[in-house]
Amino acid sequence: MNFDTWFHKQSKILQIVLLIIPFVGWIVDLLVRWSAFIKNQSAVNIIMALVITLFGEFWIFTILDAIMIATSNKLFLEE
């Protein structure tokens, strides 16, 4: 699963747009988090993948991810 690689190759504007669209942002965040966990099985990746899966519909983490993409070009707590 290389969705995280594909996502990080996109332009910063497209990444932010994909994250801030209501339902699409949650799905994109899920795919990126689980793809990152499959590639790099660290505790931080699994915890964030589970948090996004369970609580991602509340928009808090997708907004944090959009801000982190805008400032540092990586997702919030992604290894």
Side-chain angles (χ1 to χ4, degrees), residues 3 5 10 26 53 56 60 64 70-71 74-75 78:
F3 193 80
T5 305
Q10 303 307 313
W26 183 53
T53 302
I60 295 167
L64 281 174
T71 58
K74 70 176 205 164
L75 295 176
E78 180 189 31

Side-chain angles (χ1 to χ4, degrees), residues 20-47:
I20 62 172
I21 297 173
F23 185 71
V24 175
W26 183 53
I27 299 298
V28 168
D29 213 0
L30 279 173
L31 290 172
V32 171
R33 297 290 183 168
W34 284 106
S35 178
F37 169 68
I38 290 170
K39 287 173 62 177
N40 181 11
Q41 296 182 354
S42 70
V44 172
N45 284 343
I46 187 65
I47 289 169

